[in-house]
Structure formats: structure tokens, C-alpha cells
Amino acid sequence: MSDELETLESAARDFELSADFDFVDPKRLSAVIDRLQGVLCRVVDGARSRGDHLLAGQSACSWVANTCAMSKNAASDRLCVGAQLKTMPRIAQALSSGEIGYQAASVICHLQEHVNEIGARIDEEMWIGNARKFSLKDLKDIAVSTWHGVDPEGFCRAVEENFERRQFFISESGGMFRVDGWLDPEGGAALESAIDALAKPLGSDDRRTPRQRRADALTELTHHALQAGTIPRRNRVRPHITVHTTVEGLKGELGAAASELQPGMPISSKTVQRLACDGMLSRVLKADSQVVDVGRATPNVSPAQWRALKARHRTCGFPGCDRPVSWTSPHHIEFRARGGPSTLRNLLPLCHHHHRLVHEGEWQVVQAGEGVTFIPPDHEIPRRVRSPGVRWAA
Ligand SMILES: [Zn+2]
Ligand SMILES: [Zn+2]
């Protein structure tokens, strides 16, 4: 370890121990950190030039990531900045003096790296001015359009290289599904716009957090695509979800075995009852764990009944919900799982969120005359007086 680094370490330690954090100027502290980031970039670039990573049998990026305990993206960024700062003395000086921050210097270095491909040089003084004048986001936008203007072919190549990085994962974990991935700009923008449109609060008492609404939006989008029946068939079967349950499980009887979406993923009887509202039921008879008979799958609500229901309603039946009826599914006011008939009077279109609220959330739908009333569960509103002539449906 060099003496200089020891001096820096002890200065940092002394500062941390003795400084009164209430009086530290964050702007100046940030400038010091950014300056040191610039130094780190030059140090790792020097190590790459010496071939330290080759001795370790790693790529330069992996070596930096492992050595400095950072992500590969961060490591690749430091290597780019280190290499470009050598050829841009004015940018290096602006970073050291705190004139521009590290992130702005990084944007400028990446731009220079891109235009290097066609032997172009950026105007350092002008870009320092840009970094001081514009927000980081605007600076990035200007850098991207400059790159595109200077080298459209290189830009296009890079976009296609980026496109190769697209990936999507969905895996089951702890009774939930986890999704993760990278989408190309067009796909990501399309998904974001669809999610944004579906993630708005539904009604005035929507208590879901924004992140919960976004998760529900993705589920709703998927259900809608499945229901539309336009997704290509797999093995001549329309994509769908299958629930394995028992008659007792469907009724939610005590002691019934848990219903499963797939082996090892149990779901509650309330969810089963919701899915039974608008799904297809098919009877499977088993004896000694062997399937002995499979009945024909029959829809709980016929296409004609669904069309009639859609003709009577324009939106979800929950008060204040504006989800169009084509985005709803038919709920049986007297639960289907408890023998409720699939008659128009017993059916009500509900969006995914409100359908869930009625089954899993234990809101009650009460028929009152020609209309219906929604009543929150007891623990939300402790006392509710039942109006005369009102029939409790579920
Ligand atoms: Zn239902
Ligand atoms: Zn709704």
C-alpha cells in the first residue's frame, strides 16, 4: 500500500470521526468523492494497461468488478471514464476541480468513446458548459442525439447490440412469482404505457400502493389477453390457468385439502371461488389417486350470457370504477361455488381488482331492488344495519 493512500485513508478516517455532519456542505463533500471516483477510473485503467486482469485470468471488467466490489456495469463505466479522461485533459481537470460531477464526466466520456469509432473529437469546453447548464437527464439526451448525429451507423449498431441483452425471467419463489428482466426501448415503452394506464386508482377508496397497482396492472393485462382468446394455442389448447381442487375445497369447507394452481403452489379457497366465477369447470373423478373419468369442460357463463351482461353494463359494477366492461369478468353475486345460478340477475361484471375485493377481500355484494350495494367487511365498518327487504347474497 502506498504512503499516499495511507495518508488519504487516515484523512478520511479523521474527517469521519471528527466532522460535525450537521455542518458538512454536501456539495463540497460530493465534489471530493467525485474527484476520487475520477482517480479510481484512472487507477483501474492503468491496471488494465498493465494487464493485471490477465494475471487473474479474468476480463478487465470482471477484474474491476471483483476487486472493487461493484457491478459489472459500474466497472465498465469506470474503465471507459479512465480511458477517455487520458485524452480529455480539460474534462479531467473540470472533474478534479469540482466544476462538473462524476456522472456528467461519465456521460461525456461515453460520448467520446462512441464517436472515437469514426475518429471524431468532441469539443471539451462546450461539453463542460453543457454539463453545468443542463440536468443530468438532459445532458444524457443531448449526448445520445449528438452521437446519433455524428455516427448514425454506429448508433444503430449499438442499439442492435443492446437489443441482444433483452431478457425476461419469471420464477416461483416463496408462494409468489418473481419477475425480472430487460426490455428493448420499444417493448419497455409499450409495457410502461399499458401498465401506467391500468395502474391508476380505481374509485376514491382504492387503498393499494402505486407498486401494488402496477403489479395488479400486469396481472390484469395478462388476464385480459388470455380472456380475449387471441393468444396462439399451445398443443391445440388455449393458454389458461388450471386449478386443482375438490368439491369441498371449492365450497371452502373446513378440513378440505388446499387447492393448487400447480403442485406446491396452494391457493386459498376464496381465490378458488373467484376463479370458479368465470372459469371452466371440468369434473375429474379419481379412485385411489388414479383418474377414472374426466367430464367435459363447461363454461360457468355462456358466451350468450356474457354478451347480454356486457350489453347491460358499460363499466365494472363497483361504484366509481370506470374499468370498461370488456375488461371485467362475470361475478356471481350468490357465489357460483355455493350453487349461485348463472342468471343475468345473479351476474355482475367486476374488474380484476374489485372481483378480488369481493372474494378475497370479503366485501359483500347485496342485491337491493334492481341494483346492488357493496358493503365492506365487518372489520372495516364495525356496524352495519341491514335494510329491510335486503337479501344477503354471499
Ligand atoms: Zn366472483
Ligand atoms: Zn372495478
Side-chain angles (χ1 to χ4, degrees):
M1 188 186 293
S2 68
D3 289 346
E4 291 82 1
L5 202 48
E6 271 180 27
T7 310
L8 180 62
E9 281 173 339
S10 81
R13 193 168 45 242
D14 289 349
F15 173 77
E16 189 183 354
L17 291 175
S18 61
D20 183 344
F21 291 170
D22 289 341
F23 294 97
V24 172
D25 177 357
K27 190 176 174 187
R28 279 178 64 196
L29 180 59
S30 182
V32 172
I33 295 168
D34 280 7
R35 176 180 204 156
L36 289 175
Q37 276 290 1
V39 174
L40 174 64
C41 293
R42 293 176 188 202
V43 168
V44 294
D45 177 62
R48 170 171 55 187
S49 303
R50 286 196 307 272
D52 289 8
H53 59 288
L54 298 175
L55 290 176
Q58 294 171 344
S59 70
C61 183
S62 297
W63 182 81
V64 174
N66 292 332
T67 306
C68 303
M70 56 174 67
S71 71
K72 283 193 176 176
N73 272 348
S76 138
D77 174 67
R78 303 310 185 273
L79 284 166
C80 166
V81 174
Q84 299 309 319
L85 281 184
K86 280 190 300 196
T87 69
M88 294 195 288
R90 184 64 188 96
I91 301 290
Q93 191 230 335
L95 176 60
S96 294
S97 65
E99 206 177 343
I100 64 172
Y102 174 76
Q103 285 181 295
S106 164
V107 171
I108 298 168
C109 287
H110 280 274
L111 174 63
Q112 181 56 58
E113 186 187 46
H114 290 317
V115 301
N116 268 344
E117 295 213 3
I118 56 160
R121 302 293 311 167
I122 62 161
D123 180 335
E124 293 180 53
E125 211 57 57
M126 186 190 86
W127 277 92
I128 289 169
N130 285 345
R132 293 169 61 91
K133 193 158 48 172
F134 298 109
S135 70
L136 198 61
K137 183 182 179 304
D138 287 347
L139 187 71
K140 281 182 187 167
D141 289 347
I142 301 168
V144 167
S145 54
T146 302
W147 175 25
H148 184 265
V150 173
D151 182 16
E153 275 186 31
F155 182 87
C156 186
R157 248 191 336 268
V159 167
E160 285 307 300
E161 276 170 25
N162 245 346
F163 184 63
E164 291 304 315
R165 293 169 55 214
R166 70 198 185 280
Q167 49 188 295
F168 183 77
F169 305 98
I170 177 161
S171 55
E172 192 210 319
S173 170
M176 298 281 275
F177 277 95
R178 179 176 172 78
V179 291
D180 193 7
W182 289 96
L183 298 182
D184 64 287
E186 179 202 336
L191 180 65
E192 187 178 44
S193 137
I195 296 287
D196 280 354
L198 289 169
K200 296 198 165 42
L202 292 169
S204 55
D205 57 353
D206 191 339
R207 297 183 185 175
R208 296 173 296 163
T209 62
R211 62 178 66 182
Q212 288 174 334
R213 281 189 264 116
R214 285 194 295 275
D216 288 353
L218 187 59
T219 302
E220 194 177 2
L221 191 64
T222 310
H223 275 303
H224 186 70
L226 288 176
Q227 275 169 8
T230 50
I231 298 182
R233 290 167 183 250
R234 243 176 104 188
N235 302 326
R236 283 186 279 168
V237 178
R238 274 197 186 142
H240 61 285
I241 55 174
T242 305
V243 181
H244 297 275
T245 184
T246 57
V247 173
E248 295 78 21
L250 193 59
K251 290 179 178 168
E253 287 180 359
L254 271 181
S259 309
E260 290 181 326
L261 267 177
Q262 57 192 40
M265 183 156 269
I267 53 171
S268 76
S269 60
K270 289 172 184 166
T271 303
V272 177
Q273 288 170 355
R274 172 167 55 81
L275 295 171
C277 251
D278 66 328
M280 306 261 270
L281 277 186
S282 116
R283 180 178 48 85
V284 178
L285 261 183
K286 285 184 173 181
D288 296 333
S289 301
Q290 297 292 312
V291 174
V292 291
D293 183 30
V294 178
R296 201 163 62 88
T298 47
N300 281 335
V301 177
S302 73
Q305 283 168 320
W306 182 221
R307 275 197 301 276
L309 196 64
K310 284 200 282 189
R312 287 168 61 158
H313 297 265
R314 293 180 60 194
T315 60
C316 164
F318 196 91
C321 180
D322 59 359
R323 196 64 98 226
V325 71
S326 55
W327 280 77
T328 65
S329 49
H331 166 62
H332 289 68
I333 295 173
E334 187 176 354
F335 286 4
R336 177 77 188 116
R338 294 178 196 158
S342 293
T343 55
L344 276 184
R345 184 172 160 70
N346 193 44
L347 293 176
L348 187 68
L350 290 179
C351 70
H352 180 72
H353 169 57
H354 287 125
H355 202 184
R356 208 178 181 284
L357 212 60
V358 165
H359 285 273
E360 285 93 331
E362 297 184 350
W363 278 60
Q364 287 175 311
V365 185
V366 177
Q367 271 171 336
E370 284 303 298
V372 289
T373 304
F374 285 77
I375 300 171
D378 286 347
H379 50 85
E380 291 197 32
I381 296 180
R383 277 196 294 168
R384 275 264 167 186
V385 180
R386 197 192 301 188
S387 316
V390 170
R391 181 167 66 93
W392 293 95

